[in-house]
Amino acid sequence: MIEIITIGDEILIGQIVDTNSAWMAVELNKAGFQLAQITSVHDEADHIKKALDEALLRADVVLMTGGLGPTKDDITKQTLCEYFGTKLVFNPEVLENIQQIYHTRQSVMNELTKSQAMVPEKCTVIQNRAGSAPITWFEKEGKVIVSMPGVPLEMKKVMSEEIIPRLQKHFKTPAIIHKTVQVYGIPESQLALRLTEWENSLPEYLHLAYLPNFGIVKLRISGAGQDKYKLEEAINQQVETLKSILGESIFAYEDKPVEKIIYEKLKSSGLTVSTAESCTGGNIAHRLTLIPGISDCFKGTVVAYHNELKINMLGVSAQDIEQYGAVSSQVATQMAEGARKVMQTDLAVATTGIAGPTGGTPEKPVGAIWISVCSRERTITRSYVFGNFARENFIERSTMAALMMLNELIG
Amino acid sequence: MIEIITIGDEILIGQIVDTNSAWMAVELNKAGFQLAQITSVHDEADHIKKALDEALLRADVVLMTGGLGPTKDDITKQTLCEYFGTKLVFNPEVLENIQQIYHTRQSVMNELTKSQAMVPEKCTVIQNRAGSAPITWFEKEGKVIVSMPGVPLEMKKVMSEEIIPRLQKHFKTPAIIHKTVQVYGIPESQLALRLTEWENSLPEYLHLAYLPNFGIVKLRISGAGQDKYKLEEAINQQVETLKSILGESIFAYEDKPVEKIIYEKLKSSGLTVSTAESCTGGNIAHRLTLIPGISDCFKGTVVAYHNELKINMLGVSAQDIEQYGAVSSQVATQMAEGARKVMQTDLAVATTGIAGPTGGTPEKPVGAIWISVCSRERTITRSYVFGNFARENFIERSTMAALMMLNELIG
């Protein structure tokens, strides 16, 4: 059992959201460790020590983040010295590491930064290759206590490269294998019902997790065992069973965002894509352009929020807008086909819907959307109603639906 | 002192990031309460009781979220019955509330949902107007323990409308006043240096918080006291001093996203805007279209990721792209002016830069960007270098810079 203690006033006044803990939880889980508790406390010596006491009653490992800056409000290092009855000593290797980092960044070190090279005497020091605060690893009565920086980039690097491998070695953990299958179009609760029987029949050494996100549910099968090869075989067999239950609803057999999957398919087939967005307001383009290298395949977008842009820039028929409304199958289709023509791409995707909170009618309520995708040979146009969610939620769900249709079109 | 206990396996396996706690921390802070600790535990009776015991040693109020679903893995309600030595009884008002909610959603209740109307006998029940799980409020030896749903929408509604007002009444808290001043263009560490003297001179009953976000720093001055009027006057005086120190770097005297500020200015002056985006890939449009009502002012966007779209759709000179490069003052300016013309808007904003991770040169490194904003009378074009951040970070910073320039142009 592992516990996390995050140290820092900024979390307790809500200045930052603690995303570190969720990331650590995922990575520890993948490595075969269970998390018992996450505790966030102030930069306050007594409170930190109390939290450590309590955590060590329950867990074999306590991972602490934060409170390692050079300013006087950061006190984790001194507190750990008091807790373990040791003192700070100068460590030349840490200083060298900091000097290297500052050299790369072309920055100049000040006295405060140099003080980072003072570390507790009775501990293992692990170098921080991404920042100036060293990582300290204590052992006490068979238990492990690690203190590392709260800066996400630094924490992630040292967790992946140093802490998790050391923990696996220290506790001689078995091999852990994960396989993720991604499902779209079945709500989590329905999916759970359909999978109940199969889930109950899973052997004890396999574990299933549901990870839902805006219409996608990732199913992660994890297994722990001594024989990596047998484990892999057992998991692959279960994936085959899952395939026979869910069929077409599975769109990926790996843990990868759909926009990355789309990008790889486009790139390997040399196809280009454009988007024509009304209610998604550029979010499909935004999601695609977060992928490095996407400029090979993504040419551009027309966000046609006003109808005159749908007409003038995408060639949508003004008469059809008049007759069927801007949120209609006809307009979505013409937007997609217009985008493909105007931006000269092989494929295009278009959205037109009612994001709310106002603008809905009984016939076309807030949350109603038409999405169209097209290639030279084929056009698919569908309507969805995403219910009266918050505006942001509607935009994310619509974006996901559009990306899924694009993925389906590419095949 | 208040503590938060979040209950649910999904946080400890990293399935969800706990954004609730940060939101609650901010709101509690604003209402004059301090948060001592945040604890996340599994849906496990003994662990929940232990966490409650420990929290009640330190705090006067424990706010618990989660574990209130109707399925068997959610056990918070039963655990609280055991903890407070009471039992579940049927509450007709809760059932009525659930029935109303289901009626509005046009959904059908099942047996599981009906079980939500069973509540602990010895507690105050607060209706959940956004979901089916009721809120329970316990008092014990002068301390308050509240259990509420973990669904963010439901938690936020009940916290704002019920829990915080009741806590303020219960603990007779003094008046709390906040005033937020937003600064752009000065990094947090530099800002702190410039404000050191002023900050040290603040009277003890006023508190300053720095809230940084992609180039913006919000400075929040908070004060607590019995005389609301005097407090307000004291804070306003400090804001005047701040104004004299920071001058033009302050762009807002209220806590509102810049896109909302832009929207309100556009709306009141009847102006329209369009965007022409290269490296921001539609994110400026996305941010603007998150604002309800923006369709009054925002007409559309051309995301011109490929140069041919810059030329064909925005009228950028092909020769200038050849001569100065796509990331240049000339191209940014022509994109903005082109967008204004093509989409027939009063204002336009354009971006062209290098999001990375590849594509940089010594002259134009990854992170370099040109941004241009224009109206009929005026064009402003500037370059920034946002350093070698992660791609996502660069896009957010660029978007913020573009929105700030647009805000500046509108005046």
Side-chain angles (χ1 to χ4, degrees), chain A residues 180-351:
Chain A
T180 298
V181 164
Q182 298 195 66
V183 178
Y184 183 75
I186 311 178
E188 191 194 359
S189 56
Q190 274 182 40
L191 192 61
L193 276 179
R194 274 173 69 173
L195 297 180
T196 308
E197 200 181 327
W198 168 72
E199 205 180 333
N200 289 338
S201 78
L202 280 177
E204 214 166 79
Y205 61 93
L206 294 185
H207 176 75
L208 179 72
Y210 290 79
L211 310 165
N213 185 30
F214 295 121
I216 284 179
V217 181
K218 291 185 192 174
L219 296 170
R220 192 178 71 208
I221 308 174
S222 311
Q226 296 310 324
D227 189 335
K228 208 171 171 170
Y229 176 78
K230 272 194 185 162
L231 201 58
E232 199 148 355
E233 208 174 20
I235 291 181
N236 285 341
Q237 261 178 25
Q238 297 299 340
V239 169
E240 285 303 313
T241 315
L242 210 46
K243 204 170 168 178
S244 69
I245 302 172
L246 298 173
E248 293 288 299
S249 301
I250 300 176
F251 70 91
Y253 292 89
E254 55 186 339
D255 189 4
K256 202 178 265 181
V258 61
E259 51 269 42
K260 189 95 194 285
I261 295 173
I262 290 171
Y263 164 61
E264 287 169 0
K265 287 185 191 170
L266 290 176
K267 182 152 179 159
S268 73
S269 54
L271 294 172
T272 57
V273 69
S274 59
T275 79
E277 310 189 35
S278 184
C279 62
T280 49
N283 196 42
I284 304 173
H286 171 54
R287 287 286 295 275
L288 287 170
T289 54
L290 284 173
I291 305 294
I294 193 73
S295 56
D296 295 340
C297 325
F298 171 72
K299 287 179 80 174
T301 291
V302 172
V303 178
Y305 226 56
H306 277 202
N307 286 343
E308 66 180 82
L309 297 193
K310 293 185 183 81
I311 299 164
N312 298 339
M313 301 193 70
L314 295 167
V316 173
S317 146
Q319 202 197 319
D320 284 351
I321 293 181
E322 179 72 28
Q323 189 171 346
Y324 304 106
V327 178
S328 62
S329 168
Q330 289 82 357
V331 171
T333 305
Q334 289 171 33
M335 283 173 71
E337 290 173 352
R340 211 179 75 77
K341 237 173 270 165
V342 172
M343 293 183 264
Q344 297 177 27
T345 51
D346 301 303
L347 311 168
V349 50
T351 60

Side-chain angles (χ1 to χ4, degrees), chain A residues 81-128:
Chain A
C81 280
E82 292 164 26
Y83 193 82
F84 291 105
T86 182
K87 62 177 197 293
L88 291 177
V89 294
F90 172 71
N91 184 312
E93 284 162 49
V94 173
L95 186 66
E96 202 177 307
N97 181 58
I98 301 174
Q99 280 167 337
Q100 264 178 24
I101 288 171
Y102 270 69
H103 181 74
T104 317
R105 289 190 192 158
Q106 304 181 319
S107 311
V108 179
M109 266 173 72
N110 61 26
E111 280 306 311
L112 266 183
T113 315
K114 278 184 196 154
S115 73
Q116 296 283 55
M118 298 296 288
V119 296
E121 194 171 18
K122 290 187 212 159
C123 75
T124 306
V125 174
I126 300 171
Q127 298 301 333
N128 178 355

Side-chain angles (χ1 to χ4, degrees), chain B residues 51-246:
Chain B
L52 250 176
D53 275 340
E54 288 168 2
L56 286 170
L57 285 179
R58 290 177 297 251
D60 309 303
V61 179
V62 179
L63 301 177
M64 307 168 76
T65 61
L68 294 180
T71 50
K72 67 170 194 257
D73 51 323
D74 282 326
I75 55 158
T76 304
K77 220 158 57 177
Q78 291 80 348
T79 306
L80 286 171
C81 280
E82 291 165 26
Y83 193 82
F84 290 105
T86 182
K87 62 177 196 292
L88 292 177
V89 293
F90 172 72
N91 185 312
E93 283 161 49
V94 174
L95 186 67
E96 202 178 309
N97 181 59
I98 301 174
Q99 278 167 337
Q100 262 178 25
I101 288 171
Y102 271 69
H103 181 74
T104 316
R105 289 191 193 157
Q106 303 180 319
S107 310
V108 179
M109 267 173 71
N110 60 26
E111 280 307 312
L112 269 181
T113 315
K114 279 184 197 156
S115 74
Q116 296 283 55
M118 297 296 289
V119 296
E121 194 171 17
K122 292 186 213 158
C123 76
T124 306
V125 174
I126 300 171
Q127 298 302 333
N128 178 354
R129 300 299 177 195
S132 63
I135 290 86
T136 51
W137 170 294
F138 297 84
E139 292 186 20
K140 189 192 175 185
E141 295 159 19
K143 304 204 167 189
V144 174
I145 300 95
V146 182
S147 163
M148 66 191 108
V151 183
L153 195 80
E154 301 176 23
M155 180 280 292
K156 289 179 185 176
K157 190 173 168 65
V158 82
M159 274 293 287
S160 307
E161 294 175 6
E162 297 279 351
I163 310 299
I164 290 178
R166 282 173 194 241
L167 288 175
Q168 286 176 314
K169 212 173 144 196
H170 189 91
F171 291 99
K172 299 186 185 64
T173 51
I176 302 284
I177 293 181
H178 304 276
K179 179 109 189 154
T180 299
V181 165
Q182 297 195 66
V183 179
Y184 183 75
I186 310 177
E188 190 193 1
S189 56
Q190 274 183 42
L191 192 60
L193 277 179
R194 276 174 68 176
L195 297 180
T196 308
E197 201 181 327
W198 168 72
E199 204 180 333
N200 289 338
S201 78
L202 280 177
E204 215 166 80
Y205 61 92
L206 294 185
H207 175 75
L208 180 71
Y210 290 78
L211 310 165
N213 185 30
F214 295 121
I216 284 179
V217 181
K218 291 185 193 174
L219 297 170
R220 192 179 69 208
I221 309 175
S222 310
Q226 296 310 325
D227 189 334
K228 208 170 169 170
Y229 176 78
K230 273 195 183 161
L231 201 58
E232 198 149 354
E233 208 174 22
I235 291 182
N236 286 340
Q237 260 178 28
Q238 297 299 341
V239 169
E240 284 305 312
T241 315
L242 210 47
K243 203 170 169 177
S244 70
I245 303 172
L246 298 173

Side-chain angles (χ1 to χ4, degrees), chain A residues 35 37-38 42 47 295 306, chain B residues 35 37 40 42 47 295 306:
Chain A
L35 209 55
Q37 182 169 316
I38 302 165
H42 284 281
H47 201 151
S295 56
H306 277 202
Chain B
L35 209 55
Q37 181 169 315
S40 299
H42 285 279
H47 201 152
S295 57
H306 277 202

Side-chain angles (χ1 to χ4, degrees), chain B residues 315-383:
Chain B
V316 173
S317 145
Q319 201 195 320
D320 284 353
I321 292 181
E322 180 73 26
Q323 189 171 347
Y324 304 106
V327 178
S328 62
S329 168
Q330 290 79 357
V331 170
T333 306
Q334 289 171 33
M335 282 173 72
E337 291 173 351
R340 211 180 74 78
K341 236 172 274 165
V342 171
M343 292 183 264
Q344 298 178 29
T345 51
D346 302 302
L347 312 167
V349 50
T351 61
T352 176
I354 302 158
T358 58
T361 63
E363 212 175 289
K364 289 175 189 168
V366 169
I369 183 173
W370 282 92
I371 303 177
S372 182
V373 289
C374 67
S375 63
R376 181 194 299 265
E377 298 81 19
R378 199 153 70 109
T379 301
I380 313 172
T381 305
R382 285 189 202 134
S383 68

Side-chain angles (χ1 to χ4, degrees), chain A residues 3 11-19 22 25-26 29 35-42 47 50-51 54 57-58 188 209-212 280-283 285-286 289-306 308-309 312-313 342-344 356-357 391-392 395-396, chain B residues 3 11-19 22 25-26 29 35-42 47 50-51 54 57-58 188 209-212 280-283 285-286 289-306 308-309 312-313 342-344 356-357 391-392 395-396:
Chain A
E3 293 210 6
I11 291 173
L12 291 157
I13 62 168
Q15 186 174 323
I16 59 165
V17 171
D18 173 24
T19 54
V26 169
N29 244 270
L35 209 55
Q37 182 169 316
I38 302 165
T39 309
S40 299
V41 299
H42 284 281
H47 201 151
K50 188 80 200 330
E54 288 168 3
L57 285 180
R58 289 177 297 251
E188 191 194 359
Y210 290 79
L211 310 165
T280 49
N283 196 42
H286 171 54
T289 54
L290 284 173
I291 305 294
I294 193 73
S295 56
D296 295 340
C297 325
F298 171 72
K299 287 179 80 174
T301 291
V302 172
V303 178
Y305 226 56
H306 277 202
E308 66 180 82
L309 297 193
N312 298 339
M313 301 193 70
V342 172
M343 293 183 264
Q344 297 177 27
R391 190 175 170 90
E392 191 162 354
I395 293 172
E396 290 300 339
Chain B
E3 295 211 3
I11 291 173
L12 291 158
I13 62 168
Q15 188 175 322
I16 58 165
V17 171
D18 173 24
T19 53
V26 169
N29 246 269
L35 209 55
Q37 181 169 315
I38 302 166
T39 309
S40 299
V41 299
H42 285 279
H47 201 152
K50 188 81 197 335
E54 288 168 2
L57 285 179
R58 290 177 297 251
E188 190 193 1
Y210 290 78
L211 310 165
T280 48
N283 197 41
H286 170 54
T289 53
L290 284 173
I291 305 293
I294 192 73
S295 57
D296 294 339
C297 325
F298 170 72
K299 287 180 78 172
T301 290
V302 172
V303 178
Y305 226 58
H306 277 202
E308 65 180 84
L309 297 193
N312 297 339
M313 301 193 69
V342 171
M343 292 183 264
Q344 298 178 29
R391 188 174 171 90
E392 191 161 354
I395 293 172
E396 290 299 338

